[in-house]
């Protein structure tokens, strides 16, 4: 089948970019695939040689000449803004990585050139009117998705500082309704999508996560490179180091546990959006000397970094209900892991992780570090169960089978009919091209 994958790609600092490279490796031997992106550079070496790689602005022209089944990889980040007008024009398979899209979608309108120009010169009536027309698009999407709350919700979001409110209003209804089929990575999201967009079809697909064998001397050399001693007990955190990842909670728990385990160290691996803020908090909590901030590491070094940790803490609050690829990679490498006790992570077996109650997350993490730190046999047992879970539920074979089933179902379904969508979405639908 002729497929178009529309997505961020490596080296974009996005877990979805890495995920897309893995999915392409599975699908490319079975399909003719072109990939469309919206970034300055692409790491072509991470992608199958058979795939064409193109800028997103060429997608509709190429689709008109030879139609594709389009597969959209959508997440809650500005990297995905280019997908919205395209999925409205060429409905296809929407792979939704985050239930909550509100933050990134709002930024499209509220940080548009028109809105920013008015913010720089609020005395201009011309700029004010242009900004109002742009912001009206955001208000129209709110009105369509949440008609009962539209006035209060739009006013509150526009008039306050903070990012918690959008988590209660995911704003995913329009992308879901504009697609032939939506695929997600956990059962919780599938049910939530049916609530947000009644009548929409959502299917669950596995992630392609495979553990990588790492030689013990490679791990030992990496630990030595970071100044870690053989008897140091290393607590790792992996992924984008945003405040939602609870790094401050981990640092506080580590400081408490260090009274009993003086050889505790903290290893942070992943892009750090605000290094100065992180350094200040580690200093204030008294753990800066124990911490190694590795930042984003080369892809082929990630498995060794994961195994350099004796145990991992993976927290998330608030959550977009995503299935974290970073978490699954940690589990696939057999790392004993403490994670936030969130409903959408309930599919992970109780014997494969330690769950931290959100009502006392810092205390639960502290106790988990102490218990696992003092019991290497418990770490080994937990890590083994974690690796077995990922091998069973998120194997490459299972992911490929799930994708093939979703592709077949999406190909057979008709384009969805507009349902009173906002004017700018109706404009996308009016320009539809048939596959």
């Amino acid at each position: 089948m002729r497929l178009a994958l529309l997505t961020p790609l490596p080296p974009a600092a996005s877990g979805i970019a890495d995920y897309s490279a893995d999915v392409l490796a599975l699908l490319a031997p079975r399909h003719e695939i072109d990939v469309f992106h919206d970034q300055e550079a692409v790491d072509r070496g991470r992608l199958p040689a058979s795939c064409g790689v193109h800028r997103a602005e060429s997608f509709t022209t190429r689709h008109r000449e030879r139609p594709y089944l389009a597969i959209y990889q959508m997440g809650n980040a500005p990297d995905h803004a280019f997908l919205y007008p395209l999925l409205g024009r060429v409905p296809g398979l929407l792979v939704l990585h985050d239930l909550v899209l509100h933050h990134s979608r709002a930024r499209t309108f509220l940080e548009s050139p028109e809105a920013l120009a008015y913010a720089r010169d609020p005395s201009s009536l011309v700029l004010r009117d242009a900004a109002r027309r742009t912001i009206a698009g955001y208000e129209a999407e709110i009105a369509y998705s949440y008609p009962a709350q539209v006035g209060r919700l739009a006013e509150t979001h526009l008039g306050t500082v903070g990012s918690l409110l959008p988590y209660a209003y995911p704003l995913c209804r329009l992308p879901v309704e504009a697609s032939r089929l939506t695929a997600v990575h956990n059962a919780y999201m599938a049910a939530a999508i049916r609530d947000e967009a009644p009548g929409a079809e959502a299917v669950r697909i596995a992630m392609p996560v495979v553990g990588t064998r790492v030689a013990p001397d490679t791990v030992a050399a990496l630990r030595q490179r970071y100044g870690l001693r053989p008897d140091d007990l290393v607590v790792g955190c992996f992924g984008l180091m945003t405040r939602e990842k609870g790094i401050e909670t981990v640092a506080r728990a580590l400081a408490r546990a260090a009274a009993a385990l003086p050889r505790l160290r903290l290893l942070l691996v992943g892009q750090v959006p605000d290094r100065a803020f992180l350094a200040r908090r580690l200093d204030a909590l008294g753990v800066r000397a124990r911490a190694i901030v590795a930042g984003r590491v080369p892809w082929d070094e990630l498995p060794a970094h994961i195994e350099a940790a004796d145990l991992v803490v993976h927290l998330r609050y608030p959550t977009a209900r995503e299935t974290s690829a970073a978490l699954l990679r940690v589990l696939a490498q057999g790392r004993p892991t403490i994670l936030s006790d969130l409903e959408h992570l309930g599919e992970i077996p109780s014997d494969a992780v330690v769950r931290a109650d959100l009502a006392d997350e810092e205390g639960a993490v502290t106790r988990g570090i102490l218990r696992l730190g003092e019991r290497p046999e418990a770490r080994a047992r937990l890590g083994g169960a974690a690796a077995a879970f990922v091998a069973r539920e998120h194997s490459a074979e299972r992911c490929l089978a799930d994708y093939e089933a979703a592709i077949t179902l999406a190909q057979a379904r008709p384009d969805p009919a507009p349902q009173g969508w906002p004017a700018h979405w109706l404009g996308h639908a009016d320009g539809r091209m048939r596959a």
Side-chain angles (χ1 to χ4, degrees):
M1 189 179 298
R2 181 169 160 84
L3 303 178
L5 194 73
L6 297 99
T7 180
L9 294 168
S14 161
I16 295 173
D18 296 323
Y19 165 97
S20 293
D22 292 339
V23 168
L24 282 167
L26 297 177
L27 294 177
R30 303 167 66 99
H31 300 280
E32 178 186 354
I33 304 178
D34 284 331
V35 190
F36 296 87
H37 64 90
D38 184 39
Q39 56 199 67
E40 293 302 317
V42 170
D43 183 355
R44 196 65 176 82
R46 291 278 307 279
L47 308 179
S50 62
C51 294
V53 180
H54 312 284
R55 294 283 302 190
E57 52 263 30
S58 70
F59 170 59
T60 54
T61 299
R62 291 177 179 273
H63 178 74
R64 186 181 298 110
E65 293 170 351
R66 286 187 64 207
Y68 301 97
L69 173 68
I71 302 176
Y72 300 91
Q73 303 288 346
M74 176 71 80
N76 186 27
D79 291 345
H80 304 269
F82 77 98
L83 300 178
Y84 282 85
L86 296 175
L87 67 86
R89 295 192 67 189
V90 184
L93 172 61
L94 174 66
V95 182
L96 194 60
H97 292 258
D98 298 309
L99 177 67
V100 178
L101 301 177
H102 198 145
H103 301 85
S104 61
R105 189 56 175 160
R107 287 181 63 176
T108 299
F109 299 102
L110 306 185
E111 297 183 13
S112 66
E114 296 84 357
L116 295 177
Y118 176 53
R120 289 191 295 269
D121 184 8
S123 65
S124 170
L125 296 180
V126 172
L127 294 178
R128 182 195 66 184
D129 290 343
R132 281 181 173 174
R133 286 193 295 272
T134 300
I135 293 172
Y138 169 67
E139 293 173 335
E141 293 196 10
I142 290 289
Y144 179 77
S145 296
Y146 308 107
Q149 293 86 15
V150 56
R152 181 177 57 185
L153 178 56
E155 180 180 354
T156 302
H157 188 60
L158 292 170
T160 61
V161 176
S163 60
L164 284 176
L165 181 66
Y167 284 101
Y169 299 92
L171 207 60
C172 63
R173 181 179 177 183
L174 279 161
V176 168
E177 287 187 351
S179 301
R180 294 182 180 182
L181 178 69
T182 299
V184 297
H185 295 105
N186 63 68
Y188 179 98
M189 273 187 64
I193 283 170
R194 297 183 190 107
D195 288 340
E196 287 288 318
E201 181 71 20
V203 297
R204 182 184 179 277
I205 58 176
M207 278 192 170
V209 180
V210 179
T212 301
R213 186 176 297 278
V214 183
D217 59 345
T218 300
V219 177
L222 182 65
R223 284 175 63 110
Q224 186 176 29
R225 191 174 98 194
Y226 284 124
L228 294 167
R229 300 178 183 179
D231 61 339
D232 282 341
L233 184 71
V234 180
V235 177
C237 296
F238 297 86
L240 186 62
M241 296 292 156
T242 59
R243 300 185 190 188
E244 292 86 353
K245 297 299 180 66
I247 303 303
E248 188 167 344
T249 298
V250 178
R252 287 197 302 266
L254 189 104
R256 292 170 61 181
L261 299 172
R263 298 305 310 167
L264 273 178
R265 300 294 300 273
L266 178 63
L267 175 63
L268 304 178
V269 180
Q271 184 179 0
V272 183
D274 191 340
R275 279 186 171 267
F277 174 82
L278 178 61
R280 288 195 301 271
R281 295 311 302 151
L282 294 176
D283 278 332
L285 294 167
V287 298
R288 185 68 186 93
R290 297 181 180 275
I292 299 163
V293 183
R296 186 174 172 86
V297 301
W299 181 252
D300 58 357
E301 293 185 12
L302 181 57
H305 279 78
I306 293 173
E307 294 204 9
D310 296 292
L311 62 99
V312 171
V313 181
H314 186 93
L315 305 182
R316 176 74 194 212
Y317 180 81
T319 172
R321 303 300 183 180
E322 71 284 358
T323 294
S324 168
L327 170 61
L328 291 182
R329 290 191 184 98
V330 163
L331 300 180
Q333 292 301 132
R335 295 299 88 189
T337 301
I338 304 166
L339 51 72
S340 300
D341 188 11
L342 299 169
E343 186 175 5
H344 68 283
L345 299 179
E347 297 172 354
I348 303 175
S350 58
D351 66 344
V353 292
V354 173
R355 288 185 159 82
D357 188 343
L358 271 68
D360 180 25
E361 198 166 48
E362 181 184 327
V365 172
T366 304
R367 292 187 291 274
I369 292 174
L370 289 171
R371 185 167 66 253
L372 292 174
E374 294 169 339
R375 298 172 60 196
E377 74 288 352
R379 296 201 301 270
R381 185 168 58 250
L382 200 67
F389 159 72
V390 176
R392 182 176 65 250
E393 298 295 331
H394 292 279
S395 67
E397 294 78 12
R398 182 161 186 168
C399 177
L400 176 59
D402 287 349
Y403 257 94
E404 292 291 0
I407 287 168
T408 299
L409 186 56
Q411 179 70 10
R413 291 171 67 90
D415 289 348
Q419 305 176 37
W421 296 344
H424 55 287
W425 276 89
L426 290 171
H428 301 328
D430 288 344
R432 279 183 179 173
M433 295 174 289
R434 302 297 173 183

